Amino acid sequence: MSTQPAAALEVDFGAIVEAAPLGVLVTDAEGLCVHANPACRRIFGLVEAQLLGRDWRSFICPDDQPRVLAEWRVAAAEHQSFRVEARLLCADGSLAWIRLNAARYGLGPPFGHVLTVEDIADRKSADSVLRIAEEALFAEKERAQVTLNSIGDAVLTTDIPGNVTYMNLVAERMTGWSREEAIGRPLAEVFRIVDGTSGEIAANPAHLAMHEDRTVGLAADCVLRRRDGIEASIEDSAAPIHNRDGQVVGAVLVFHDVSESRAMAVKMFHLAHHDFLTGLPNRALLTERLAQAIGLARRRHKQVGLLFLDLDYFKHINDSLGHAVGDQLLKSVAERLMSCVRVTDTVCRQGGDEFVILLSEIEHLQDATRVADKLLQVFSLPQLIDGHELHVTLSIGISVFPNDGDNPETVMQNADTAMYHAKASGRNNWQLFRGDMNTRAVQRQFIESSLRRALRQDEFVLHYQPQIDLKSGALTGAEALIRWQDPKQGLVQPAQFVPIAEESGLIVPIGRWVMREACRQLKVWQDAGLRTVPISVNISAMEFRHKGFLEGVALILADTGLAPQLLELELTESILMHDAEASAVVLIALKAMGMHLAIDDFGTGYSSLSYLKRFPIDTLKIDQSFIRDVATNADDATIVSAMIGMGRNLKQRVVAEGVETLEQLAFLRAQHCHEGQGFQFSHPLGAADFGALLANGKHPLSLPGA
Ligand code: C2E
Ligand code: MG
Ligand code: MG
């Protein structure tokens, strides 16, 4: 085996270099090119002559040159191998990515260098695609991260076994777990939810979402228990997360705190369904419960009882003692009503002084009447309100499903109708609905529209009831009393329509008509030369408080030309006591105009004597309820004589109302009552008859012993 000579080996190296696909560039110690193999020339795109003698560094793209030179210097100083990636400035001006490796050669110093030149254009372009993709991914992740941390909802993800894989800031705050601590833990540990009503652990929606591969909402009324035990109502949903192949790989939970909105909703519901003053269910809630109760009773073949309650004379108390006392009384009534029923029954305030009791399941009608009896009994005891001992009684109407109606509206309406009959039957009692009770609501509405028409078409008339001096029997005055000449019904008495006119506000124009008519008529009599007596006119509460009242009276007097001294206004105690200070102001103004003032139905109100003394009153009209039994009932006799004595002391004219018998008359005369009004002397008379009485001069009213 022969050994190869060294020269032959060198030749071989040269050939290898010439044939190599790798560019090889040989430089001298200055970096000037002394040799470039074909691969190098190809990469540089130059022929050898263009390369030789030139500094290899001048071929580097100017942008990359500083970096390349800096690295070159470092490598040279530290005698390290040099390796750099940079762009080559090709002859045609284009750039090509290359990698350079350099090694020293020669026996130096100084040393020359051998540089290998590798075309890395392909790799570079693959790199840049990757980098763009990476950047896009990063941006996407960043965007998701920022979004997840800035939205108000908590977001939490799990893997298939149900361990937490991610949570955003809100989720951290709401669960009380930091992301670092939570990740990898079972969801049930981090996201603890319980049923708001039962307090039991609630099913976790993430498992369901993964299992059924669909978005699921959380059960209503769900509560999240934070790590520290604090609870918050939440609303949430869970959705499965899929991989590229569409397989479920986890779940995402999105939830938020609804404690406030839920509390608000609860509050709103309560407000919408309860009476503000008493806290009792209101009409809306009652209607709902009644419908439920009827549905249930229908299935179980049971009955439902409905009691419609109205307080007797509440308006009176409210007017005389003021709204504050009225409100307190209503509260106290509410408590009493509650004490009379079972917890399953509903006591509701219908509005004003009306209450309804729903007996949700009864076996017999007697179950309802028994409750009504109990109510009447409980209300027979006085209620102590603000130092006042108040006696309020109830008028109760009862109707029962299914007998009196098979739907909530009818049952309700019929109980209402029965209640009006209880009122009509003297109050403080209950009435069962009967088919023949006509619906008062319809009647009222009819009357109201008829009254409007009556005003337009002048269907009202005044009757005049004489007032008599009990000593002399002389005619001293008359009370104007309204009647309605209805074309269909004939003459309608005030009890039938004045309360409705009062409630609807129609009493204001009607009252004005009455006063104008009374003044006009009296002036006509006066102008005809008849002997005239003062006429008294009844004033309702609403008229008295109407802001145009004083001006209205003045205008009527001016228009008719009647002397104010011939007009007396009758007001009840409750009207005056409602706002005693304001009343006194109006009374003083009326007095200043020259009119007379009378207190009507005296004894039925809640007058305080000290106030009465402050009002400029001319006349006390003792209510007929006291006169009725004055000859037979010692109590009434005592009261009446006290009232007469009081009036006389206050220098007031005392008129007894409703004098019907000679016995009553004798008693009143013995007590020195000034005057009387009643059937004993005369019924109210039409204008023609009363005019005749005035014309007659001598009065036809026989007064025994006068
Ligand atoms: P009132 O002001 O107390 O009038 C007296 C009522 O007693 C009148 O009833 C009269 O007819 C009746 N009466 C008179 N004498 C007797 C008697 O001896 N026995 C009996 N049982 N009753 C007697 P009327 O006319 O039905 O009026 C009832 C109420 O209607 C009046 O009570 C008054 O409150 C009201 N009213 C009448 N006219 C008007 C009016 O023009 N305006 C207003 N706001 N109310 C009026
Ligand atoms: Mg009167
Ligand atoms: Mg009266």
Side-chain angles (χ1 to χ4, degrees):
M1 196 169 159
S2 63
T3 50
Q4 294 256 345
L9 255 181
E10 274 174 32
V11 171
D12 276 349
F13 269 121
I16 291 166
V17 167
E18 287 310 286
L22 188 70
V24 177
L25 188 76
V26 183
T27 70
D28 62 12
E30 264 75 63
L32 304 181
C33 206
V34 292
H35 178 72
N37 75 346
C40 177
R41 296 199 294 268
R42 195 177 58 249
I43 293 168
F44 279 55
L46 299 169
V47 294
E48 190 166 28
Q50 292 171 300
L51 278 165
L52 295 183
R54 284 187 58 190
D55 192 323
W56 66 271
R57 286 160 291 211
S58 67
F59 296 108
I60 302 295
C61 148
D63 285 349
D64 293 354
Q65 266 183 19
R67 173 171 60 87
V68 172
L69 293 182
E71 289 194 27
W72 177 260
R73 275 193 293 273
V74 171
E78 296 177 5
H79 307 296
Q80 284 178 350
S81 63
F82 169 79
R83 181 189 168 99
V84 78
E85 286 180 5
R87 282 166 301 172
L88 190 67
L89 184 60
C90 302
D92 61 0
S94 65
L95 298 173
W97 273 101
I98 52 165
R99 181 187 295 140
L100 289 172
N101 280 284
R104 287 193 307 191
Y105 86 92
L107 301 172
F111 298 100
H113 286 90
V114 177
L115 290 100
T116 59
V117 183
E118 199 182 335
D119 180 354
I120 56 168
D122 287 350
R123 213 208 73 220
K124 271 291 171 192
S125 71
D127 273 2
S128 75
V129 168
L130 200 63
R131 200 178 51 245
I132 289 168
E134 262 173 12
E135 269 166 20
L137 192 65
F138 180 81
E140 185 64 29
K141 258 181 109 174
E142 184 69 9
R143 184 161 48 235
Q145 189 62 42
V146 170
T147 308
L148 286 171
N149 278 337
S150 57
I151 57 172
D153 284 351
V155 179
L156 187 155
T157 61
T158 73
D159 55 15
I160 286 271
N163 295 322
V164 175
T165 50
Y166 169 82
M167 60 205 294
N168 71 352
L169 288 176
V170 183
E172 289 186 347
R173 202 175 58 229
M174 284 182 64
T175 58
W177 287 82
S178 74
R179 191 191 312 186
E180 292 71 32
E181 286 175 298
I183 283 176
R185 284 186 195 265
L187 178 63
E189 199 179 321
V190 177
F191 183 70
R192 290 187 298 165
I193 48 173
V194 293
D195 185 292
T197 332
S198 66
E200 290 182 11
I201 304 288
N204 210 304
H207 298 299
L208 196 64
M210 291 190 285
H211 189 247
E212 299 192 352
D213 193 7
R214 65 179 179 91
T215 303
V216 290
L218 192 68
D221 195 17
C222 199
V223 169
L224 173 68
R225 197 168 282 162
R226 217 166 62 179
R227 199 175 180 182
D228 58 9
I230 290 180
E231 298 189 341
S233 294
I234 58 162
E235 234 168 47
D236 91 337
S237 66
I241 304 174
H242 299 109
N243 67 8
R244 251 205 268 196
D245 303 328
Q247 287 161 330
V248 175
V249 291
V252 57
L253 268 168
V254 180
F255 51 99
H256 60 266
D257 190 337
V258 291
S259 305
E260 258 177 47
S261 59
R262 200 165 285 170
M264 183 58 89
V266 168
K267 201 169 158 194
M268 296 291 282
F269 181 87
H270 188 89
L271 282 179
H273 289 82
H274 290 83
D275 167 46
F276 185 72
L277 179 67
T278 60
L280 290 178
N282 63 10
R283 189 193 300 248
L285 188 52
L286 174 82
T287 311
E288 258 173 47
R289 294 211 179 147
L290 179 59
Q292 276 171 9
I294 285 180
L296 213 62
R298 191 174 278 137
R299 286 197 293 282
R300 297 185 182 166
H301 304 289
K302 292 274 170 67
Q303 307 189 49
V304 175
L306 199 74
L307 276 59
F308 208 110
L309 290 71
D310 190 284
L311 302 186
D312 299 327
Y313 302 112
F314 174 75
K315 200 170 150 348
H316 226 74
I317 296 174
N318 210 33
D319 281 355
S320 53
L321 298 179
H323 290 306
V325 172
D327 284 356
Q328 267 181 274
L329 177 61
L330 288 172
K331 283 192 202 170
S332 156
V333 165
E335 277 166 28
R336 275 198 185 183
L337 295 178
M338 293 290 289
S339 73
C340 292
V341 299
R342 297 172 304 182
V343 277
T344 47
D345 298 328
T346 300
V347 176
C348 131
R349 179 163 172 234
Q350 191 72 349
D353 59 350
E354 287 180 348
F355 294 83
V356 173
I357 296 179
L358 166 66
L359 308 173
S360 44
E361 223 175 65
I362 56 173
E363 300 281 348
H364 316 283
L365 183 62
Q366 285 73 12
D367 295 337
T369 57
R370 209 172 299 128
V371 173
D373 278 330
K374 187 170 169 194
L375 289 168
L376 293 182
Q377 194 204 332
V378 167
F379 277 79
S380 65
L381 301 169
Q383 324 209 26
L384 191 69
I385 307 287
D386 203 17
H388 304 274
E389 226 184 52
L390 302 177
H391 288 266
V392 255
T393 53
L394 299 172
S395 295
I396 305 172
I398 305 173
S399 79
V400 171
F401 164 88
N403 277 359
D404 303 329
D406 67 349
N407 60 70
E409 295 75 37
T410 315
V411 172
M412 199 70 163
Q413 200 171 31
N414 289 343
D416 185 25
T417 302
M419 187 278 289
Y420 275 107
H421 281 260
K423 284 250 180 251
S425 319
R427 300 177 158 90
N428 194 21
N429 73 107
W430 52 258
Q431 295 288 322
L432 291 170
F433 174 75
R434 289 189 322 269
D436 61 354
M437 292 175 171
N438 43 16
T439 45
R440 199 186 129 115
V442 175
Q443 215 182 16
R444 287 172 72 81
Q445 220 169 22
F446 176 72
I447 293 178
E448 213 183 291
S449 58
S450 303
L451 285 178
R452 288 182 204 281
R453 188 205 60 215
L455 256 180
R456 278 199 309 274
Q457 303 185 357
D458 217 9
E459 292 170 6
F460 294 115
V461 286
L462 289 185
H463 283 189
Y464 301 87
Q465 188 175 33
Q467 293 169 344
I468 303 298
D469 183 303
L470 295 187
K471 237 194 227 155
S472 65
L475 178 72
T476 51
E479 177 173 6
L481 295 159
I482 192 170
R483 272 94 184 93
W484 172 22
Q485 186 66 57
D486 182 59
K488 286 205 194 78
Q489 305 178 68
L491 200 65
V492 184
Q493 298 296 315
Q496 244 84 57
F497 65 88
V498 166
I500 295 171
E502 281 173 338
E503 277 165 37
S504 61
L506 277 172
I507 196 66
V508 173
I510 291 177
R512 218 168 259 174
W513 178 87
V514 169
M515 189 177 291
R516 184 173 286 276
E517 173 59 15
C519 294
R520 185 200 64 81
Q521 179 65 73
L522 193 54
K523 188 76 169 74
V524 168
W525 285 325
Q526 194 177 27
D527 290 349
L530 303 183
R531 182 177 79 90
T532 47
V533 289
I535 301 274
S536 51
V537 167
N538 293 285
I539 306 294
S540 280
M542 190 184 266
E543 290 178 77
F544 185 68
R545 292 195 202 107
H546 196 259
K547 49 181 178 345
F549 178 65
L550 282 176
E551 289 80 358
V553 176
L555 186 72
I556 287 169
L557 287 172
D559 285 354
T560 57
L562 186 78
Q565 292 71 25
L566 287 176
L567 184 62
E568 182 169 72
L569 305 186
E570 292 191 8
L571 300 146
T572 61
E573 291 162 277
S574 58
I575 295 178
L576 299 181
M577 294 306 296
H578 171 74
D579 180 352
E581 301 293 333
S583 297
V585 172
V586 180
L587 293 184
I588 288 164
L590 290 168
K591 247 349 256 179
M593 286 159 73
M595 270 161 280
H596 290 276
L597 300 174
I599 291 193
D600 200 1
D601 304 342
F602 185 66
T604 57
Y606 292 83
S607 298
S608 126
L609 269 186
S610 58
Y611 266 112
L612 276 188
K613 260 166 52 186
R614 284 169 53 184
F615 295 142
I617 300 296
D618 305 283
T619 308
L620 281 190
K621 296 187 74 179
I622 301 175
D623 190 67
Q624 48 180 277
S625 59
F626 298 101
I627 306 299
R628 192 173 304 130
D629 299 325
V630 88
T632 51
N633 182 315
D635 285 344
D636 283 351
T638 313
I639 294 172
V640 169
S641 67
M643 288 198 267
I644 294 169
M646 194 188 91
R648 292 187 73 95
N649 278 335
L650 293 173
K651 304 272 180 297
Q652 286 159 344
R653 168 178 165 248
V654 182
V655 180
E657 290 190 273
V659 184
E660 291 182 346
T661 66
L662 291 173
E663 289 75 22
Q664 293 164 348
L665 176 61
F667 174 84
L668 293 166
R669 292 180 76 186
Q671 298 298 319
H672 305 290
C673 180
H674 300 113
E675 287 168 37
Q677 181 183 337
F679 299 163
Q680 170 62 31
F681 313 113
S682 169
H683 280 263
L685 302 172
D689 288 342
F690 189 74
L693 188 67
L694 290 177
N696 221 329
K698 71 171 183 53
H699 68 80
L701 314 165
S702 56
L703 195 57

